[in-house]
Amino acid sequence: MSAFVNGVLSYLTFLFCVTVHEFSHAFAATRFGDETAKEAGRLTLNPLPHMDLFGTVILPILGILSSGAVLGYASTPIDPRAMKPRRVGPAISVIAGPVSNAALSVVAALGARLARMALESVGSESAAGFLVEFLRGARIAGIRVALLSGVLAVFNLLPAGPLDGALFFRYSFPDSQAAAALNTGLAWMVVLVVFLFVLAGPTYRAVEAMVASLGGL
C-alpha cells in the first residue's frame, strides 16, 4: 500500500471516528433537553457539519504528513443550563463521546473477526475473487477503526483542558476545586505532554492487544 493511500485511509478513519464521537455528544444532549447541537445541524452522522478547518482538516493532514499519526479534534456545542437533570444531563452528554468510541472500537474489532472467519470459509477460489477482496478490505477497515477509536476513547477521557474527562468532572462536581484546577491551561499542558511522551505508547499497545484479542488477529 502506497504512503498516499495509507494516509487517505487514515484520514477517512479519523473522520469517521470523530463524527461518531460528536454525534453521540449531540444525541445525548438532545435527549436531556438541550437543542443547541440539533439546531446547529450536529445531530447527524454526516461528517461535514462536524468539521473544523484547523482541527479536522489542517491538523490531521499535518500529522499524517509529518509522522503518520492522526492528530485532530472537533467540537459539539451544548448548553448545560438547558439540560435536566442539571448535573446528570451534562455529565452524560460529555461522556457519551468517549463511550461511543469505546463501543465502536469493540464492534469494529468483532467485525474484523467475522470478516476473517468469512475469509477462512470462502477460501481463495477465483470465482469468489470479489468477495475475497471485499472481506479483506472490511477486515482491514475494521482493524483501523478499532485501533483509532479505542485510542480516541482513552485520550478524550484525560482529565484536563477541553477534553471530555475534565468536562465530566466539571459538570459532575461544579463546586470542586479539583475540577476547576483540571480546567486550567497549566493542567492541560502537563497532562498533554505526559500523554504524548509517556502514555501514548502504552495506550496504543493496550488498545492493540484488545483489538487483537477481539479481532482474532
Side-chain angles (χ1 to χ4, degrees), residues 80 85-95 164-177 179-180 182-183:
R86 183 59 62 88
R87 289 192 183 184
V88 175
I92 293 180
S93 296
V94 297
I95 210 68
D164 297 326
L167 293 175
F168 177 78
F169 280 106
R170 180 196 298 177
Y171 295 142
S172 300
F173 311 100
D175 301 323
S176 169
Q177 293 183 350
L182 291 173
N183 287 277

Side-chain angles (χ1 to χ4, degrees), residues 56-103:
T56 51
V57 179
I58 297 176
L59 188 58
I61 292 176
L62 288 177
I64 291 171
L65 292 177
S66 62
S67 63
V70 186
L71 302 172
Y73 62 86
S75 62
T76 298
I78 63 173
D79 183 3
R81 298 168 298 179
M83 297 186 206
K84 295 180 180 179
R86 183 59 62 88
R87 289 192 183 184
V88 175
I92 293 180
S93 296
V94 297
I95 210 68
V99 168
S100 71
N101 279 138

Side-chain angles (χ1 to χ4, degrees), residues 6 32 48 76 85 88 96 102 134 149 154 165 169-170 192 216:
N6 185 64
F32 284 101
L48 294 179
T76 298
V88 175
F134 173 80
S149 198
V154 176
F169 280 106
R170 180 196 298 177
L192 182 61

